[in-house]
């Protein structure tokens, strides 16, 4: 049974210290509001999983939520470095994080394997690169039919997946369109899931275009308008390219970052207050 | 702007755009490659199929995007596919002609590093990592690599091998399970390097007008082989420069 909860309630109920947590959204529909709520609730010791580690994980890593990180690309898309990620990788600040690094194809295949209840994913790639030397989870097998050397990585099976989507209906079916990324696989690979949405409508189906994730794989739905900001929700609002550029300046210095997070995240009660404050201060 | 009337970045982008034919299916990253492909589409390659990693197939953006996932790309796409479909069917499946790559470091066999500078466990500089670069270099029929030519970028030994070009040279790439043929050219701010047909070592085959052989040797961290006689590219024409500058303005 899908529950309709506030984001605060959903995070309280499902995001426990020590769990593995996949938050996905490939450039589009990034669950930013959920990331900020996890920071607000000061949840620590998470094993974070995300292909394109960008601002949402920069914030969580910088605020000390993560013990581990699995990723396949980490940067500020279209802008440059991700300063909090760099600080943890280069200087162990705020503390050491165990890094499990991959390339995109490996993580995409590993999510598919997780969703398919397979122990591992088989694909081609990584051969003669440095990755197998630094990641013991990249291994090679021989195809029993052709003898070809193939690459294997363990399936991704997170304790919890969080995504953002355009709509849910009153039963909890999820509807999304535009760049759909890896979200469906993340939900199906995970043991439990939370979906934040722009709005809740009477009914969704694929005749409206887009894709539907059925309600019985969704534990909690939270209505969080603008919940992907500064990423975007197609059909609702555009990407705030300007905020991505400004993040570079906000996050570059440790104290500046902490002050900003304190002012806009820790000192606000929820995402709508956060957005209101951003608007008032000219960030939106 | 130099006394030539154009910058070295503009020369790089225009040179890369000239590699793209009208029937090409091109996998594009953000930055200079995206500009080059969008430039080609507005000049000599109006029917080029542009694919961005976020899953947008054959997209025709009115303005070059800031990121690979801009709403402009998804609104103008022929089709949008999921990440697994992109990497399994389209890339690993060998359905893309040309892939663009950038790099922080390159070696003489066009292997590249986009992962770390320094030691992996305690890096001096943590770079973004592989993203799709491993698969682009493995499975696009050809790749084009764009980076500035300096002794810091053109190194004898990579700090980390993120994506294989020609491995240790000669035929060492074959047998790695990659269906793509490897790098076709490396486009720098000084000219063009292409792999030797037999050893696969990069050879400087073109210089931009006004660039000296001494300059490219000094800008390369290994004893650079230079074609004899060396070719000189043509200067950017007025139309190329005008359209490129219009595109750049749209991004601001």
């Amino acid at each position: 049974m899908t529950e309709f909860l506030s984001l605060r309630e959903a995070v309280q109920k499902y995001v426990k210290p020590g769990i593995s947590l996949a938050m996905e959204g490939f450039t589009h529909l990034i669950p930013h509001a959920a990331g900020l709520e996890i920071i607000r609730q000061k949840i620590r010791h998470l094993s974070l999983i995300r292909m394109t580690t960008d601002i949402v994980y920069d914030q969580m890593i910088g605020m000390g939520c993560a013990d581990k990180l699995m990723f396949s690309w980490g940067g500020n898309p279209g802008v440059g470095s991700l300063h909090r990620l760099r600080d943890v990788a280069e200087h162990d600040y705020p503390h050491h994080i165990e890094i499990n690094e991959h390339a995109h194809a490996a993580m995409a295949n590993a999510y598919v394997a997780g969703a398919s209840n397979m122990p591992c994913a088989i694909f081609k790639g990584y051969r003669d690169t440095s990755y197998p030397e630094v990641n013991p989870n990249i291994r090679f097998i021989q195809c029993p039919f052709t003898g070809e050397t193939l690459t294997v990585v363990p399936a991704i099976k997170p304790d919890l997946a969080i995504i953002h989507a355009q709509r849910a209906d009153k039963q909890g079916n999820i509807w999304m369109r535009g760049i759909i990324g890896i979200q469906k696989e993340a939900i199906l690979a995970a043991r439990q899931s939370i979906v934040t949405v722009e709005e809740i409508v009477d009914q969704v189906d694929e005749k409206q275009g887009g894709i539907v994730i059925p309600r019985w794989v969704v534990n909690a739905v939270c209505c969080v308008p603008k919940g992907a900001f500064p990423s975007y929700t197609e059909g609702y609002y555009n990407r705030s390219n300007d905020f991505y550029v400004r993040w570079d300046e906000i996050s570059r210095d440790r104290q500046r970052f902490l002050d900003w997070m304190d002012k806009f995240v820790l000192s606000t009660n929820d995402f709508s207050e956060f957005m209101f404050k951003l608007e008032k201060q000219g960030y939106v | 702007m130099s006394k030539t009337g154009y910058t070295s970045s503009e020369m790089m982008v225009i040179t890369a755009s000239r590699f793209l034919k009208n029937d090409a299916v091109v996998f594009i990253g953000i930055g200079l490659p995206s500009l080059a492909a969008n430039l080609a589409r507005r000049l000599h390659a109006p029917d080029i199929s542009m694919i961005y990693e976020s899953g947008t197939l054959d997209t025709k953006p009115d303005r070059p995007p800031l990121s690979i996932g801009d709403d402009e790309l998804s609104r103008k796409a022929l089709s949008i596919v999921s990440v697994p479909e992109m990497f399994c069917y389209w890339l690993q499946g060998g359905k893309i002609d040309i892939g663009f790559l950038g790099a922080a470091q390159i070696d003489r066999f066009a292997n590249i590093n986009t992962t770390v500078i320094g030691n992996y466990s305690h890096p001096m500089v943590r770079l973004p990592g592989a993203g799709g670069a491993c698969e682009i270099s493995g499975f696009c029929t050809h790749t084009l690599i764009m980076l500035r030519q300096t002794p810091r970028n053109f190194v004898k030994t990579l700090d980390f091998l993120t994506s294989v070009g020609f491995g240790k040279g000669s035929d060492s790439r074959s047998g790695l399970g990659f269906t793509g043929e490897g790098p076709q050219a490396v486009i720098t701010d000084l000219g063009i390097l292409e792999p030797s047909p037999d050893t696969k070592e990069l050879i400087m085959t073109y210089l931009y007008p006004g660039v000296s052989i001494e300059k490219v040797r000094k800008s390369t961290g290994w004893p650079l082989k230079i074609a004899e006689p060396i070719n000189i590219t043509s200067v950017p024409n007025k139309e190329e420069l005008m359209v490129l500058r219009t595109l750049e303005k749209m991004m601001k």
Side-chain angles (χ1 to χ4, degrees):
Chain A
M1 194 46 190
T2 311
E3 284 184 291
F4 290 83
L5 301 174
S6 70
L7 182 55
R8 180 187 298 166
E9 292 166 337
V11 167
Q12 270 168 355
K13 181 163 181 182
Y14 292 102
V15 186
K16 302 291 182 195
I19 66 165
S20 57
L21 169 63
M23 298 177 71
E24 287 293 353
F26 203 90
T27 67
H28 175 215
L29 294 172
I30 298 170
H32 271 277
L36 297 181
E37 183 56 32
I38 292 168
I39 291 168
R40 239 179 241 115
Q41 294 191 21
K42 299 189 167 63
I43 298 162
R44 302 274 190 271
H45 308 300
L46 297 171
S47 293
L48 295 180
I49 303 164
R50 173 167 172 74
M51 291 184 66
T52 52
T53 286
D54 45 21
I55 292 179
V56 61
Y57 274 11
D58 208 35
Q59 294 171 333
M60 292 171 71
I61 289 167
M63 294 302 282
C65 300
D67 279 2
K68 296 180 187 174
L69 173 67
M70 178 181 193
F71 77 113
S72 47
W73 188 86
N76 184 342
V79 178
S81 281
L82 207 54
H83 298 294
R84 296 299 95 220
L85 174 64
R86 278 189 60 177
D87 211 6
V88 86
E90 294 167 16
H91 309 111
D92 283 338
Y93 179 87
H95 53 246
H96 178 72
I97 284 185
E98 192 183 313
I99 286 186
N100 178 4
E101 182 172 359
H102 279 287
H104 277 349
M107 283 192 71
N109 280 289
Y111 270 122
V112 172
S116 315
N117 196 25
M118 288 284 288
C120 64
I122 303 175
F123 62 107
K124 299 184 180 193
Y126 277 139
R127 286 180 62 197
D128 276 21
T129 72
S130 303
Y131 281 107
E133 294 162 28
V134 300
N135 188 338
N137 281 329
I138 298 168
R139 299 186 193 176
F140 300 96
I141 57 166
Q142 269 200 328
C143 171
F145 304 105
T146 64
E148 187 180 352
T149 302
L150 300 169
T151 310
V152 287
V153 295
I156 298 175
K157 295 180 179 179
D159 293 318
L160 179 69
I162 303 180
I163 67 164
H164 185 74
Q166 274 96 347
R167 296 175 193 150
D169 68 15
K170 287 182 172 156
Q171 293 180 289
N173 299 303
I174 306 300
W175 180 88
M176 54 195 285
R177 74 174 169 91
I179 292 172
I180 49 178
I182 191 80
Q183 289 95 305
K184 187 174 181 177
E185 290 76 11
I187 292 281
L188 294 174
R191 195 165 53 77
Q192 294 182 307
S193 66
I194 299 173
V195 183
T196 59
V197 294
E198 292 294 328
E199 61 175 335
I200 292 166
V201 298
D202 287 340
Q203 201 189 343
V204 298
D205 61 57
E206 287 184 5
K207 290 193 281 298
Q208 302 160 11
I211 64 164
V212 168
I213 301 177
R215 61 194 177 281
W216 64 86
V217 293
V218 178
N219 292 85
V221 170
C222 315
C223 187
V224 188
K226 290 234 164 162
F229 175 91
S231 174
Y232 71 106
T233 298
E234 191 163 304
Y236 290 80
Y237 48 92
N238 289 341
R239 187 177 193 267
S240 174
N241 286 339
D242 186 50
F243 189 87
Y244 280 85
V245 172
R246 291 184 77 169
W247 184 251
D248 187 74
E249 171 265 319
I250 296 166
S251 61
R252 192 176 283 269
D253 173 75
R254 287 173 187 173
Q255 198 54 47
R256 165 87 172 111
F257 163 78
L258 290 172
D259 291 345
W260 195 93
M261 292 300 286
D262 185 56
K263 179 173 174 186
F264 287 96
V265 183
L266 299 180
S267 305
T268 53
N269 280 310
D270 59 21
F271 190 71
S272 65
E273 253 187 52
F274 165 81
M275 286 303 291
F276 181 74
K277 203 161 183 176
L278 281 190
E279 276 166 37
K280 238 175 53 185
Q281 305 263 336
Y283 282 91
V284 183
Chain B
M1 189 79 52
S2 67
K3 58 182 187 287
T4 56
Y6 54 87
T7 66
S8 59
S9 295
E10 286 174 335
M11 190 69 219
M12 273 176 94
V13 171
I14 288 166
T15 302
S17 79
R18 291 171 179 168
F19 274 87
L20 302 175
K21 306 246 164 28
N22 194 35
D23 59 353
V25 179
V26 187
F27 197 96
I28 304 162
I30 257 352
L32 299 183
S34 178
L35 264 176
N38 280 283
L39 178 62
R41 185 162 76 85
R42 280 162 181 80
L43 294 172
H44 55 272
D47 302 323
I48 192 171
S49 305
M50 300 199 293
I51 298 180
Y52 285 82
E53 194 172 76
S54 53
T56 52
L57 300 184
D58 194 14
T59 183
K60 301 185 185 315
D62 290 336
R63 54 170 175 82
L66 181 75
S67 89
I68 55 162
D70 275 24
D71 32 301
E72 176 75 3
L73 295 175
S74 75
R75 275 201 300 269
K76 302 287 167 59
L78 173 70
S79 171
I80 301 172
V81 300
S82 71
V83 171
E85 177 171 336
M86 178 57 82
F87 282 91
C88 295
Y89 300 172
W90 296 96
L91 266 170
Q92 189 174 283
K95 308 291 194 300
I96 299 171
D97 301 331
I98 296 181
F100 268 111
L101 294 166
Q105 289 183 329
I106 188 166
D107 70 12
R108 70 171 73 196
F109 294 115
N111 304 299
I112 62 173
N113 172 17
T114 57
T115 304
V116 289
I117 303 296
N119 175 279
Y120 181 79
S121 45
H122 284 96
M124 233 143 57
V125 182
R126 175 66 235 194
L127 301 165
C134 298
E135 290 70 42
I136 293 168
S137 70
F139 303 108
C140 290
T141 310
H142 299 285
T143 55
L144 296 171
I145 302 170
M146 293 179 81
L147 81 164
R148 294 189 171 276
Q149 196 163 353
T150 70
R152 263 178 60 191
N153 301 350
F154 277 61
V155 297
K156 209 172 246 175
T157 312
L158 300 177
D159 290 354
F160 191 95
L161 200 164
T162 309
S163 307
V164 176
F166 293 108
K168 294 181 180 69
S170 300
D171 62 351
S172 66
R173 182 183 165 97
S174 65
L176 294 179
F178 298 140
T179 47
E181 291 170 22
Q184 177 185 358
V186 179
I187 299 154
T188 80
D189 53 334
L190 303 177
I192 304 170
L193 301 93
E194 294 172 274
S196 139
D198 47 350
T199 67
K200 303 294 183 193
E201 178 169 341
L202 290 173
I203 300 172
M204 196 92 211
T205 52
Y206 282 86
L207 297 179
Y208 296 149
V211 174
S212 69
I213 285 183
E214 197 193 350
K215 169 79 179 162
V216 292
R217 280 200 203 283
K218 271 196 194 152
S219 304
T220 308
W222 67 82
L224 178 66
K225 294 207 166 102
I226 294 175
E228 281 184 61
I230 184 83
N231 307 290
I232 309 293
T233 63
S234 57
V235 295
N237 65 41
K238 269 191 191 147
E239 197 192 4
E240 286 171 328
L241 277 174
M242 193 188 71
V243 176
L244 174 56
R245 286 171 188 169
T246 309
L247 287 175
E248 282 176 313
K249 259 187 218 138
M250 281 184 216
M251 292 177 71
K252 290 191 179 125

